[in-house]
Amino acid sequence: MSGHGHRTVLQLRFVLPTDGDAELRDGVRALLEAITPRVQIIEPDTAVLDLTGALAYWKREARGLTELIQLRALALLGLHSAAGVGPNRMLATMACNLTPPGRRTIIDHSPDAVAAFLRPRPVRELPGVGSKMAATLTSYGLHRVGNVADLPPATLQRLLGARAGRTLHEHALGRDATTVDPSPTPASISTEHRFPRDELDPAAHRRALLTLADDLGTQLRTSGQIAAGLTCTIRYADHTSTRRSRTLSEATQHTVLLARAAYALYESLGLQRARVRSIAVRADALRPAEGATRQLTLDSGDEKPLAIEAVADRARTRYGSPVIYPAALATGRHDRQQTLAPTGRGQTVTRAEAVPAAVPRRPAPGDGQRSRSRW
């Protein structure tokens, strides 16, 4: 794929170690910025590069430059990566999501190549298509992206609304004007649960989400921050992944509110018998908690979890481990792997902790491993 006269966007998804520190993450950024200054980091493990100008500078085609980047990441940093290249950011993202680590998917800029990649894809893979929109489209027989592309825009607008219908039609044709923004992203904190085996049980998925929300809430309250958004990334057994983001109605640091948002993101994916390998949740757009505002409510049910949360925080501060936690996370085992809050930018301390039988403990759901990262 030539870069002359056409945009070329590369998305990389790195396989990061659970104990990756700030030095490693800074090394990733430095490696990528040595190729092009137009690099956007997306936590916890993704980077997007605009290669349009870099292709001429490096005198390489998109495939060759992508192979060079992946080889450097493996040789210098020990990181495997999956890569997707396309004429815009949407196509690069979709290609990357379908690519296993160590491989690359290149979509040429020609209309025929874009159509060959895009038209057979399920319509739910287009950005912005949640479970509700996908159900609406499939009820009218619009199962594939090609079905949507062939439909008159006016028909889509009647089905979905003017703005949503127009945007979906543009995406179905492979058009996307989103640019790569190299400016630093707002601070964020992420945490991930990796199942010991591919997990089919939605109840186990929800327990993992609750654990991750509890982790994020604890980190936010400990650091005196609030989050204005939440992102959930689901990785599947076939190495593909789905990511959904949501802006919270009000910035928060409370576990119960973060868990509700995480559940809503999970439900929006409409998963059915999905073999899930890991779930990551990220708190986005962090800012100091001093500037937080809270909508008052007449529902006393919202106050009780917050009061219990404050008690749990005090107990954690005093005893050094979670002694109060949601009942849904209780089990009878007495040892666990605890990941402590970051000690510095991107650094974590992990220890194995034996918990006495008389003291309740909160395990990772499915006895999996959790990791936290901060770019």
PDB file of all heavy atoms in Angstrom, residues 7-35:
ATOM      1  N   ARG A   7      -3.916   8.682   3.050  1.00  0.00           N
ATOM      2  CA  ARG A   7      -3.631   8.510   4.460  1.00  0.00           C
ATOM      3  C   ARG A   7      -3.310   7.049   4.736  1.00  0.00           C
ATOM      4  O   ARG A   7      -3.872   6.147   4.127  1.00  0.00           O
ATOM      5  CB  ARG A   7      -4.838   8.930   5.309  1.00  0.00           C
ATOM      6  CG  ARG A   7      -5.112  10.422   5.330  1.00  0.00           C
ATOM      7  CD  ARG A   7      -6.323  10.697   6.193  1.00  0.00           C
ATOM      8  NE  ARG A   7      -6.103  10.296   7.582  1.00  0.00           N
ATOM      9  CZ  ARG A   7      -7.067  10.025   8.438  1.00  0.00           C
ATOM     10  NH1 ARG A   7      -8.324  10.091   8.061  1.00  0.00           N
ATOM     11  NH2 ARG A   7      -6.788   9.690   9.678  1.00  0.00           N
ATOM     12  N   THR A   8      -2.408   6.827   5.670  1.00  0.00           N
ATOM     13  CA  THR A   8      -2.071   5.472   6.101  1.00  0.00           C
ATOM     14  C   THR A   8      -1.991   5.481   7.618  1.00  0.00           C
ATOM     15  O   THR A   8      -1.166   6.180   8.204  1.00  0.00           O
ATOM     16  CB  THR A   8      -0.729   5.013   5.513  1.00  0.00           C
ATOM     17  OG1 THR A   8      -0.779   5.096   4.085  1.00  0.00           O
ATOM     18  CG2 THR A   8      -0.438   3.579   5.924  1.00  0.00           C
ATOM     19  N   VAL A   9      -2.863   4.705   8.244  1.00  0.00           N
ATOM     20  CA  VAL A   9      -2.944   4.658   9.701  1.00  0.00           C
ATOM     21  C   VAL A   9      -2.616   3.252  10.169  1.00  0.00           C
ATOM     22  O   VAL A   9      -3.089   2.257   9.598  1.00  0.00           O
ATOM     23  CB  VAL A   9      -4.351   5.067  10.194  1.00  0.00           C
ATOM     24  CG1 VAL A   9      -4.437   4.991  11.714  1.00  0.00           C
ATOM     25  CG2 VAL A   9      -4.687   6.480   9.720  1.00  0.00           C
ATOM     26  N   LEU A  10      -1.788   3.164  11.189  1.00  0.00           N
ATOM     27  CA  LEU A  10      -1.387   1.887  11.785  1.00  0.00           C
ATOM     28  C   LEU A  10      -1.872   1.834  13.230  1.00  0.00           C
ATOM     29  O   LEU A  10      -1.675   2.787  13.987  1.00  0.00           O
ATOM     30  CB  LEU A  10       0.138   1.745  11.747  1.00  0.00           C
ATOM     31  CG  LEU A  10       0.775   0.699  12.677  1.00  0.00           C
ATOM     32  CD1 LEU A  10       0.349  -0.712  12.275  1.00  0.00           C
ATOM     33  CD2 LEU A  10       2.300   0.829  12.667  1.00  0.00           C
ATOM     34  N   GLN A  11      -2.521   0.735  13.605  1.00  0.00           N
ATOM     35  CA  GLN A  11      -2.862   0.502  15.012  1.00  0.00           C
ATOM     36  C   GLN A  11      -2.131  -0.743  15.486  1.00  0.00           C
ATOM     37  O   GLN A  11      -2.132  -1.778  14.818  1.00  0.00           O
ATOM     38  CB  GLN A  11      -4.364   0.335  15.225  1.00  0.00           C
ATOM     39  CG  GLN A  11      -4.726   0.042  16.686  1.00  0.00           C
ATOM     40  CD  GLN A  11      -6.134   0.424  17.041  1.00  0.00           C
ATOM     41  OE1 GLN A  11      -6.603   1.507  16.683  1.00  0.00           O
ATOM     42  NE2 GLN A  11      -6.821  -0.437  17.763  1.00  0.00           N
ATOM     43  N   LEU A  12      -1.502  -0.630  16.657  1.00  0.00           N
ATOM     44  CA  LEU A  12      -0.752  -1.727  17.268  1.00  0.00           C
ATOM     45  C   LEU A  12      -1.380  -2.086  18.597  1.00  0.00           C
ATOM     46  O   LEU A  12      -1.762  -1.202  19.380  1.00  0.00           O
ATOM     47  CB  LEU A  12       0.706  -1.318  17.502  1.00  0.00           C
ATOM     48  CG  LEU A  12       1.568  -1.061  16.258  1.00  0.00           C
ATOM     49  CD1 LEU A  12       2.813  -0.290  16.651  1.00  0.00           C
ATOM     50  CD2 LEU A  12       1.940  -2.372  15.584  1.00  0.00           C
ATOM     51  N   ARG A  13      -1.469  -3.380  18.860  1.00  0.00           N
ATOM     52  CA  ARG A  13      -1.912  -3.872  20.166  1.00  0.00           C
ATOM     53  C   ARG A  13      -0.789  -4.739  20.727  1.00  0.00           C
ATOM     54  O   ARG A  13      -0.454  -5.779  20.177  1.00  0.00           O
ATOM     55  CB  ARG A  13      -3.194  -4.689  20.040  1.00  0.00           C
ATOM     56  CG  ARG A  13      -3.774  -5.132  21.388  1.00  0.00           C
ATOM     57  CD  ARG A  13      -5.035  -5.945  21.216  1.00  0.00           C
ATOM     58  NE  ARG A  13      -4.779  -7.271  20.671  1.00  0.00           N
ATOM     59  CZ  ARG A  13      -5.077  -7.653  19.446  1.00  0.00           C
ATOM     60  NH1 ARG A  13      -5.630  -6.800  18.609  1.00  0.00           N
ATOM     61  NH2 ARG A  13      -4.802  -8.895  19.028  1.00  0.00           N
ATOM     62  N   PHE A  14      -0.184  -4.293  21.822  1.00  0.00           N
ATOM     63  CA  PHE A  14       0.969  -4.970  22.403  1.00  0.00           C
ATOM     64  C   PHE A  14       0.532  -6.004  23.438  1.00  0.00           C
ATOM     65  O   PHE A  14      -0.476  -5.824  24.135  1.00  0.00           O
ATOM     66  CB  PHE A  14       1.909  -3.960  23.058  1.00  0.00           C
ATOM     67  CG  PHE A  14       2.558  -3.019  22.086  1.00  0.00           C
ATOM     68  CD1 PHE A  14       2.044  -1.748  21.877  1.00  0.00           C
ATOM     69  CD2 PHE A  14       3.679  -3.397  21.359  1.00  0.00           C
ATOM     70  CE1 PHE A  14       2.626  -0.881  20.974  1.00  0.00           C
ATOM     71  CE2 PHE A  14       4.273  -2.544  20.458  1.00  0.00           C
ATOM     72  CZ  PHE A  14       3.743  -1.271  20.260  1.00  0.00           C
ATOM     73  N   VAL A  15       1.297  -7.061  23.531  1.00  0.00           N
ATOM     74  CA  VAL A  15       1.106  -8.056  24.590  1.00  0.00           C
ATOM     75  C   VAL A  15       2.029  -7.652  25.730  1.00  0.00           C
ATOM     76  O   VAL A  15       3.220  -7.968  25.738  1.00  0.00           O
ATOM     77  CB  VAL A  15       1.439  -9.473  24.084  1.00  0.00           C
ATOM     78  CG1 VAL A  15       1.212 -10.487  25.200  1.00  0.00           C
ATOM     79  CG2 VAL A  15       0.603  -9.819  22.859  1.00  0.00           C
ATOM     80  N   LEU A  16       1.476  -6.935  26.694  1.00  0.00           N
ATOM     81  CA  LEU A  16       2.269  -6.388  27.790  1.00  0.00           C
ATOM     82  C   LEU A  16       2.361  -7.380  28.941  1.00  0.00           C
ATOM     83  O   LEU A  16       1.373  -8.052  29.263  1.00  0.00           O
ATOM     84  CB  LEU A  16       1.650  -5.083  28.301  1.00  0.00           C
ATOM     85  CG  LEU A  16       1.589  -3.922  27.311  1.00  0.00           C
ATOM     86  CD1 LEU A  16       0.848  -2.751  27.931  1.00  0.00           C
ATOM     87  CD2 LEU A  16       2.988  -3.493  26.885  1.00  0.00           C
ATOM     88  N   PRO A  17       3.507  -7.480  29.603  1.00  0.00           N
ATOM     89  CA  PRO A  17       3.605  -8.310  30.802  1.00  0.00           C
ATOM     90  C   PRO A  17       2.791  -7.702  31.928  1.00  0.00           C
ATOM     91  O   PRO A  17       2.582  -6.482  31.977  1.00  0.00           O
ATOM     92  CB  PRO A  17       5.106  -8.289  31.125  1.00  0.00           C
ATOM     93  CG  PRO A  17       5.611  -7.018  30.513  1.00  0.00           C
ATOM     94  CD  PRO A  17       4.781  -6.803  29.274  1.00  0.00           C
ATOM     95  N   THR A  18       2.321  -8.551  32.829  1.00  0.00           N
ATOM     96  CA  THR A  18       1.491  -8.044  33.922  1.00  0.00           C
ATOM     97  C   THR A  18       2.255  -7.114  34.847  1.00  0.00           C
ATOM     98  O   THR A  18       1.668  -6.276  35.521  1.00  0.00           O
ATOM     99  CB  THR A  18       0.924  -9.221  34.747  1.00  0.00           C
ATOM    100  OG1 THR A  18       2.010 -10.017  35.235  1.00  0.00           O
ATOM    101  CG2 THR A  18       0.039 -10.086  33.878  1.00  0.00           C
ATOM    102  N   ASP A  19       3.589  -7.246  34.881  1.00  0.00           N
ATOM    103  CA  ASP A  19       4.381  -6.399  35.769  1.00  0.00           C
ATOM    104  C   ASP A  19       5.105  -5.295  34.991  1.00  0.00           C
ATOM    105  O   ASP A  19       6.120  -4.781  35.435  1.00  0.00           O
ATOM    106  CB  ASP A  19       5.401  -7.233  36.547  1.00  0.00           C
ATOM    107  CG  ASP A  19       6.336  -8.010  35.608  1.00  0.00           C
ATOM    108  OD1 ASP A  19       6.046  -8.060  34.389  1.00  0.00           O
ATOM    109  OD2 ASP A  19       7.340  -8.562  36.099  1.00  0.00           O
ATOM    110  N   GLY A  20       4.565  -4.937  33.801  1.00  0.00           N
ATOM    111  CA  GLY A  20       5.200  -3.883  33.009  1.00  0.00           C
ATOM    112  C   GLY A  20       5.263  -2.574  33.780  1.00  0.00           C
ATOM    113  O   GLY A  20       4.276  -2.135  34.372  1.00  0.00           O
ATOM    114  N   ASP A  21       6.438  -1.931  33.799  1.00  0.00           N
ATOM    115  CA  ASP A  21       6.602  -0.723  34.584  1.00  0.00           C
ATOM    116  C   ASP A  21       6.654   0.504  33.683  1.00  0.00           C
ATOM    117  O   ASP A  21       6.481   0.433  32.462  1.00  0.00           O
ATOM    118  CB  ASP A  21       7.860  -0.811  35.455  1.00  0.00           C
ATOM    119  CG  ASP A  21       9.117  -1.068  34.627  1.00  0.00           C
ATOM    120  OD1 ASP A  21       9.059  -0.908  33.384  1.00  0.00           O
ATOM    121  OD2 ASP A  21      10.154  -1.425  35.208  1.00  0.00           O
ATOM    122  N   ALA A  22       6.861   1.651  34.289  1.00  0.00           N
ATOM    123  CA  ALA A  22       6.860   2.913  33.555  1.00  0.00           C
ATOM    124  C   ALA A  22       7.980   2.954  32.528  1.00  0.00           C
ATOM    125  O   ALA A  22       7.814   3.517  31.442  1.00  0.00           O
ATOM    126  CB  ALA A  22       6.997   4.083  34.537  1.00  0.00           C
ATOM    127  N   GLU A  23       9.134   2.346  32.846  1.00  0.00           N
ATOM    128  CA  GLU A  23      10.260   2.369  31.921  1.00  0.00           C
ATOM    129  C   GLU A  23       9.909   1.651  30.623  1.00  0.00           C
ATOM    130  O   GLU A  23      10.256   2.117  29.526  1.00  0.00           O
ATOM    131  CB  GLU A  23      11.478   1.725  32.574  1.00  0.00           C
ATOM    132  CG  GLU A  23      12.731   1.780  31.708  1.00  0.00           C
ATOM    133  CD  GLU A  23      13.946   1.199  32.416  1.00  0.00           C
ATOM    134  OE1 GLU A  23      13.839   0.899  33.622  1.00  0.00           O
ATOM    135  OE2 GLU A  23      14.988   1.054  31.749  1.00  0.00           O
ATOM    136  N   LEU A  24       9.209   0.526  30.723  1.00  0.00           N
ATOM    137  CA  LEU A  24       8.813  -0.209  29.535  1.00  0.00           C
ATOM    138  C   LEU A  24       7.840   0.608  28.694  1.00  0.00           C
ATOM    139  O   LEU A  24       7.972   0.703  27.469  1.00  0.00           O
ATOM    140  CB  LEU A  24       8.183  -1.540  29.931  1.00  0.00           C
ATOM    141  CG  LEU A  24       7.605  -2.379  28.786  1.00  0.00           C
ATOM    142  CD1 LEU A  24       8.684  -2.748  27.784  1.00  0.00           C
ATOM    143  CD2 LEU A  24       6.919  -3.623  29.327  1.00  0.00           C
ATOM    144  N   ARG A  25       6.876   1.221  29.327  1.00  0.00           N
ATOM    145  CA  ARG A  25       5.868   1.990  28.594  1.00  0.00           C
ATOM    146  C   ARG A  25       6.482   3.232  27.957  1.00  0.00           C
ATOM    147  O   ARG A  25       6.111   3.616  26.845  1.00  0.00           O
ATOM    148  CB  ARG A  25       4.718   2.338  29.531  1.00  0.00           C
ATOM    149  CG  ARG A  25       4.058   1.087  30.086  1.00  0.00           C
ATOM    150  CD  ARG A  25       2.962   1.389  31.095  1.00  0.00           C
ATOM    151  NE  ARG A  25       2.561   0.160  31.745  1.00  0.00           N
ATOM    152  CZ  ARG A  25       1.749  -0.752  31.194  1.00  0.00           C
ATOM    153  NH1 ARG A  25       1.260  -0.541  29.990  1.00  0.00           N
ATOM    154  NH2 ARG A  25       1.436  -1.853  31.847  1.00  0.00           N
ATOM    155  N   ASP A  26       7.413   3.863  28.652  1.00  0.00           N
ATOM    156  CA  ASP A  26       8.120   4.988  28.047  1.00  0.00           C
ATOM    157  C   ASP A  26       8.955   4.518  26.862  1.00  0.00           C
ATOM    158  O   ASP A  26       9.116   5.240  25.871  1.00  0.00           O
ATOM    159  CB  ASP A  26       9.013   5.667  29.086  1.00  0.00           C
ATOM    160  CG  ASP A  26       8.217   6.428  30.130  1.00  0.00           C
ATOM    161  OD1 ASP A  26       7.021   6.697  29.879  1.00  0.00           O
ATOM    162  OD2 ASP A  26       8.775   6.735  31.205  1.00  0.00           O
ATOM    163  N   GLY A  27       9.494   3.295  26.966  1.00  0.00           N
ATOM    164  CA  GLY A  27      10.263   2.737  25.860  1.00  0.00           C
ATOM    165  C   GLY A  27       9.406   2.503  24.630  1.00  0.00           C
ATOM    166  O   GLY A  27       9.851   2.729  23.493  1.00  0.00           O
ATOM    167  N   VAL A  28       8.166   2.068  24.837  1.00  0.00           N
ATOM    168  CA  VAL A  28       7.236   1.878  23.717  1.00  0.00           C
ATOM    169  C   VAL A  28       6.979   3.211  23.021  1.00  0.00           C
ATOM    170  O   VAL A  28       7.042   3.317  21.784  1.00  0.00           O
ATOM    171  CB  VAL A  28       5.917   1.255  24.205  1.00  0.00           C
ATOM    172  CG1 VAL A  28       4.868   1.283  23.101  1.00  0.00           C
ATOM    173  CG2 VAL A  28       6.139  -0.173  24.685  1.00  0.00           C
ATOM    174  N   ARG A  29       6.688   4.236  23.805  1.00  0.00           N
ATOM    175  CA  ARG A  29       6.423   5.551  23.214  1.00  0.00           C
ATOM    176  C   ARG A  29       7.638   6.070  22.453  1.00  0.00           C
ATOM    177  O   ARG A  29       7.519   6.579  21.326  1.00  0.00           O
ATOM    178  CB  ARG A  29       6.007   6.543  24.299  1.00  0.00           C
ATOM    179  CG  ARG A  29       5.709   7.940  23.762  1.00  0.00           C
ATOM    180  CD  ARG A  29       5.364   8.906  24.888  1.00  0.00           C
ATOM    181  NE  ARG A  29       4.059   8.631  25.440  1.00  0.00           N
ATOM    182  CZ  ARG A  29       2.922   9.088  24.920  1.00  0.00           C
ATOM    183  NH1 ARG A  29       2.943   9.820  23.815  1.00  0.00           N
ATOM    184  NH2 ARG A  29       1.771   8.812  25.481  1.00  0.00           N
ATOM    185  N   ALA A  30       8.816   5.942  23.039  1.00  0.00           N
ATOM    186  CA  ALA A  30      10.026   6.434  22.387  1.00  0.00           C
ATOM    187  C   ALA A  30      10.283   5.680  21.080  1.00  0.00           C
ATOM    188  O   ALA A  30      10.675   6.284  20.069  1.00  0.00           O
ATOM    189  CB  ALA A  30      11.222   6.302  23.328  1.00  0.00           C
ATOM    190  N   LEU A  31      10.061   4.365  21.089  1.00  0.00           N
ATOM    191  CA  LEU A  31      10.275   3.573  19.879  1.00  0.00           C
ATOM    192  C   LEU A  31       9.345   4.034  18.755  1.00  0.00           C
ATOM    193  O   LEU A  31       9.766   4.174  17.598  1.00  0.00           O
ATOM    194  CB  LEU A  31      10.055   2.098  20.200  1.00  0.00           C
ATOM    195  CG  LEU A  31      10.299   1.070  19.086  1.00  0.00           C
ATOM    196  CD1 LEU A  31      10.797  -0.222  19.681  1.00  0.00           C
ATOM    197  CD2 LEU A  31       9.021   0.807  18.280  1.00  0.00           C
ATOM    198  N   LEU A  32       8.090   4.268  19.090  1.00  0.00           N
ATOM    199  CA  LEU A  32       7.117   4.659  18.074  1.00  0.00           C
ATOM    200  C   LEU A  32       7.355   6.083  17.583  1.00  0.00           C
ATOM    201  O   LEU A  32       7.218   6.372  16.387  1.00  0.00           O
ATOM    202  CB  LEU A  32       5.698   4.515  18.623  1.00  0.00           C
ATOM    203  CG  LEU A  32       5.287   3.104  19.059  1.00  0.00           C
ATOM    204  CD1 LEU A  32       3.875   3.108  19.610  1.00  0.00           C
ATOM    205  CD2 LEU A  32       5.412   2.119  17.900  1.00  0.00           C
ATOM    206  N   GLU A  33       7.713   6.974  18.499  1.00  0.00           N
ATOM    207  CA  GLU A  33       7.947   8.364  18.097  1.00  0.00           C
ATOM    208  C   GLU A  33       9.226   8.517  17.284  1.00  0.00           C
ATOM    209  O   GLU A  33       9.421   9.538  16.622  1.00  0.00           O
ATOM    210  CB  GLU A  33       7.970   9.259  19.331  1.00  0.00           C
ATOM    211  CG  GLU A  33       6.592   9.412  19.966  1.00  0.00           C
ATOM    212  CD  GLU A  33       6.590  10.316  21.189  1.00  0.00           C
ATOM    213  OE1 GLU A  33       7.696  10.574  21.724  1.00  0.00           O
ATOM    214  OE2 GLU A  33       5.491  10.736  21.605  1.00  0.00           O
ATOM    215  N   ALA A  34      10.102   7.504  17.315  1.00  0.00           N
ATOM    216  CA  ALA A  34      11.274   7.513  16.442  1.00  0.00           C
ATOM    217  C   ALA A  34      10.876   7.225  14.992  1.00  0.00           C
ATOM    218  O   ALA A  34      11.632   7.530  14.068  1.00  0.00           O
ATOM    219  CB  ALA A  34      12.291   6.488  16.918  1.00  0.00           C
ATOM    220  N   ILE A  35       9.690   6.661  14.788  1.00  0.00           N
ATOM    221  CA  ILE A  35       9.186   6.389  13.443  1.00  0.00           C
ATOM    222  C   ILE A  35       8.389   7.570  12.915  1.00  0.00           C
ATOM    223  O   ILE A  35       8.572   8.011  11.780  1.00  0.00           O
ATOM    224  CB  ILE A  35       8.305   5.120  13.452  1.00  0.00           C
ATOM    225  CG1 ILE A  35       9.104   3.911  13.946  1.00  0.00           C
ATOM    226  CG2 ILE A  35       7.710   4.866  12.078  1.00  0.00           C
ATOM    227  CD1 ILE A  35      10.244   3.506  13.047  1.00  0.00           C
TER     228      ILE A  35
END
